[in-house]
Amino acid sequence: MALPPKATFPLSLFLLLPLLLLSLVLATTTQQEEFSEELLLKPLPDRKILAHFHFQNEAPLDADSFARHHHLFPKSISQLVQKFHIKSMELSFTQGRWNYERWGGFDPISSHNAKPPGVELWAVFDVPPHQVDASWKNLTHSLSGLFCASINFLESSTTYSAPEWAFQSALGSLRYGTLPREAVCTENLTPWLKLLPCRDKAGLSSLMDRPSIYRSFYHSQRLHLTMSSAPSDGSRSGIILEQTLTVVLQPNDQNADTNHVSKAKIQPSWSLSSIFGRKISGRCVLAKLSTVYLHADKGLVAQLENLHKTTAQFADNDTGPEDYRVNSGFKLSVTPKRVHTELGKDSSILYEYPIKDYKDTEQFDLGLSWEHPIVWSSPHAPFYASRFLMGSGNERGAIAISLKSTEMTQGLVTNNIEERCKLQVNVLQVVPWYVKVYYHTLQLLIDERPRVLTDFVERMRVSPSEDKVSPGMMELVLQFPCEMKSAVLSIEFDKGFLHIDEYPPDANQGFDIPSAIISFPDFNAALQFYDKSQSKSPLLSKLQEKSPVLSYTEVLLVPLTTPDFSMPYNVITITCTVFALYFGSLVNVLRRRVGEEERLLKNKDASKAVFLRRVLTKLSAKLRGRPLESTTSPSSSSSSSFVSPKLILRVLLVAGIAIAWQYYSQ
């Protein structure tokens, strides 16, 4: 029966209503997910270039986000957060060591992205205390399969610890572990790039040329995960995933027209195509923000101002922004869209280049050419931190942490002459269980003079190591006077013995002690820029975020007593030889019948001799013409005995060898 014409329109509207609701839900979901890509370029004082890639992905965290598909956010990361109840997490793969003396240590890049060699992982869980270790072990296995690395080695209780003062986190729910010897290669970078919406096919990530990255002096890929809370009720409302790649490159010298004298002092000119071998062909279409920044730090800006005063060659640029100047120090191949100046007297400059202003057919290739030789230094942390080993031999030794003052502490002394100034330094040192540290031997030298430790230690937390169970950990909160020039912390240890199954394949190379973490909570590494852009930049927000200054020391290589790994081979060889001789002789004796064989041989020889004698007798009788005389030869009655003296001697010899072997083997 056909429906009346009046009911056709309401029925079609009723059928299309679920589709409209579904499209509305998908539209609101995709609008809440945001992705941004940014690149920060920074000239370094030692003729190198710092390239810092920053990708940020945000997604809401709903009750059904574990099962649904995301539009931009990687689903694997969302499932990790939901399954293991992660509040915050950071994973880094690093090759090389950050040079704090030349590249600086008092800026957000060095504090957040200067990581120790190998793999570093820390995570904060939102679970009861008795479930933290189980969540950590499951997380390490999941990350190991996700990033194709040996992170699952951190599941053992001998490889991770639970610090309380080094990280700003909840008490008791944080776990921290490192793998200093983990090799970093493209197998780790490829899964990291797959988490990006455009991967490395478009946008700023297309600059990541593998040979350019892995021949750099330092590169560190980092993944930072945090839970954002709603400002109203404080409940978890979303996930923020930050992916950063920090690379220090050596550009090719393009100053072909400079003379030989000035070429040794002038900085090498560079461009994106010269350091990465590629140009930016457009932005990622899924990115809300795609920007390239060029940062000139305070030391470089101060030298440019001095050069301006001496040469007076600054001129206004009519085509650029109002506060953009073409200086005599360097020239930029592309005019910046905006210029951000740091607030304060000694300010740094940040040039901004939005990629959306360039067409897809127009490739973006930012270049910088130096006009005059300029020497400057990057801002440093209050102290240079280094670590080394003392002692010799395979029995005992000592670990020493050295702190040397920088120009920042000298400035604090001049500004606080009347008041007594103090600097707080936090130290976190984790040692493996086979390095048996004696914490009562902790000594402190200030300006090469021994001092009483209790006068400078405000707090101290020690967790002694347990053999094959947990590593040793020491946390110190120290208060040093600002006029201090140097300080040395030393502690003695004994080298333990390992079972032969616990030695790695390259045991003769030595065993690694992870880097110590030195933090300065009284100082914040932040750059306060006046943001002129309409859209909020995640990278600028990260640079302006106040966080304590962190420094990592060197990884120590401790030689331990190693056994002779060829001895098992020698023992196996001689044992097999003795057993072969023993069982071979025994089987030979038991299976052979010596007496019967000798009797048969004698009978055969006797029968052959009798037959030959008979033939000769018949032949001589025929020749003489005489009849054949019947001669009866009596059979030999003497037969060899079945048991001979040689057989008895052999059996006794084999039995004696067997008895001696059993006696000495027991």
Side-chain angles (χ1 to χ4, degrees), residues 41 137-138 140 238 245 260 305 343 345 407 470 574 606 648:
L41 300 172
K137 293 179 181 180
N138 294 330
T140 56
L245 177 65
H260 180 73
E305 291 179 354
L343 302 178
K345 183 179 180 181
E407 68 278 358
S470 62
I574 190 172
I648 296 175

Side-chain angles (χ1 to χ4, degrees), residues 482-499:
C482 295
E483 62 271 11
M484 183 189 69
K485 300 297 182 181
S486 63
V488 177
L489 281 167
S490 62
I491 190 169
E492 299 178 3
F493 65 89
D494 281 350
K495 301 177 182 180
F497 293 94
L498 302 178
H499 192 267

Side-chain angles (χ1 to χ4, degrees), residues 3 17 19 100 103 106 134 148 167 217 235 304 329 342 346 353 405 421 464 543 553 627:
L3 294 174
L17 184 60
L19 297 177
Y100 290 95
W103 304 338
F106 194 75
C148 192
F167 299 92
F217 289 85
S235 60
L304 292 176
E342 187 181 1
D346 297 331
Y353 299 89
S405 63
C421 174
L543 295 177
T553 62

